[in-house]
Structures are given as structure tokens and as C-alpha cells.
Amino acid sequence: MLNHTNVRASDEIENPDYYLLIRLGDLSINYKSLPAELWRTMLRELTKNIRQKGLKPTKVSELLKGWNGMQVKWKCLDAELQEAVIEAVAGMNEDGRSTRELANAIFYLGTLEVSWKEDVSEERKKRILQGIVKSWFWNARDISNILLG
């Protein structure tokens, strides 16, 4: 049984594709085992939801963790979704309060084989680095996640 205590029911109803992707990752379900049309539909809806509503910092790192559990690689995602996710990561720590989420997101981007050089624009690199600098507290785990990512 999956633990949904940290998820509001209204969130799941509002963003079912997002939560389904996270839960499939929790179960280590390889994305290639899903029907292709289902996979494309979930990603299309996710892209639309990110563009319309954005993602909170905790949601970005949870989504990337879920994709990691599903063995998703960055290159298999369409360019529009890649752009939306990188933009969400770039805006994660603008207030300096999402240190752990930013560190986790960077780590999971690395596991998805995102190329810092090829897949992230100079402007977004700058914003991500500014988010790292704005953090007033980094613990050893956070620093490790950033370096491994």
C-alpha cells in the first residue's frame, strides 16, 4: 500500500498524471513497460499542467525522482517538456528557502543524464547557480547531491 499521508486528495485529483508518474517511479515500473499511447498522454498532460500551473520546488524534485525510478532518460522526453522542467528547476530556489529540493533536483537531473552543457541554456544555468549561492545552509547530503548531479 502506498503512503499518501503527505499528499492532499485535491492535489491528486488536480494533477493525476503527475502523481501517477511519481507512484510508478516509487514502484520501479520501467516507463518502457507502459503502453506507448498512455506514456505519451501522461507526458502531454504533464507538460500542459506545468506550463499552466507551474510546479512547487518539492514537486519538481519528486517528479524527477519518480522518473529516475521509472528509468527515464532525458533524451526520451520531448523538447517542450524538457524546457518546462528545466525552467521549473531554474526557478526553484529564488527565495533561498528550497535548498534541499534544489540539491535533489540537480542530483536527479544527473541520473536522467541531463547534459549541463547541451541541455541547459546559459540563462538557466546562471539562475540555477544563483539559487545555489542564495542558500544560507547546505548540509553534507545537499552538497553531495549537487556534486553528483
Side-chain angles (χ1 to χ4, degrees), residues 68 73 104-115 145 148-149:
N68 179 58
K73 296 302 175 203
N104 289 342
I106 291 170
F107 172 77
Y108 287 116
L109 286 173
T111 66
L112 299 175
E113 299 177 359
V114 173
S115 169
N145 281 348
L148 289 172

Side-chain angles (χ1 to χ4, degrees), residues 1-2 20-30 66 69-70:
M1 186 91 192
L2 296 175
L20 180 57
L21 289 167
I22 291 171
R23 300 305 170 221
L24 290 170
D26 289 344
L27 296 170
S28 298
I29 305 291
N30 188 305
M70 295 178 71

Side-chain angles (χ1 to χ4, degrees), residues 72-88:
V72 172
K73 296 302 175 203
W74 191 249
K75 298 296 183 197
C76 79
L77 302 173
D78 69 34
E80 185 178 2
L81 181 54
Q82 289 177 353
E83 287 292 314
V85 171
I86 292 294
E87 177 58 29

Side-chain angles (χ1 to χ4, degrees), residues 10 19 22 25 36 38 51 64 68 70 95 106 135 142:
S10 61
Y19 286 100
I22 291 171
L38 173 64
R51 290 282 186 203
L64 295 171
N68 179 58
M70 295 178 71
D95 63 2
I106 291 170
S135 296
D142 297 333

Side-chain angles (χ1 to χ4, degrees), residues 68-137:
N68 179 58
M70 295 178 71
Q71 301 172 14
V72 172
K73 296 302 175 203
W74 191 249
K75 298 296 183 197
C76 79
L77 302 173
D78 69 34
E80 185 178 2
L81 181 54
Q82 289 177 353
E83 287 292 314
V85 171
I86 292 294
E87 177 58 29
V89 172
M92 281 181 79
N93 202 36
E94 291 176 342
D95 63 2
R97 295 186 306 174
S98 299
T99 302
R100 166 125 332 129
E101 291 82 6
L102 179 59
N104 289 342
I106 291 170
F107 172 77
Y108 287 116
L109 286 173
T111 66
L112 299 175
E113 299 177 359
V114 173
S115 169
W116 182 256
K117 192 175 192 179
E118 297 172 15
D119 299 324
V120 183
S121 71
E122 291 301 317
E123 183 268 334
R124 288 190 178 123
K125 285 178 200 172
K126 181 179 177 182
R127 288 175 52 213
I128 291 168
L129 291 172
Q130 287 172 339
I132 291 170
V133 170
K134 283 184 183 179
S135 296
W136 59 272
F137 177 77

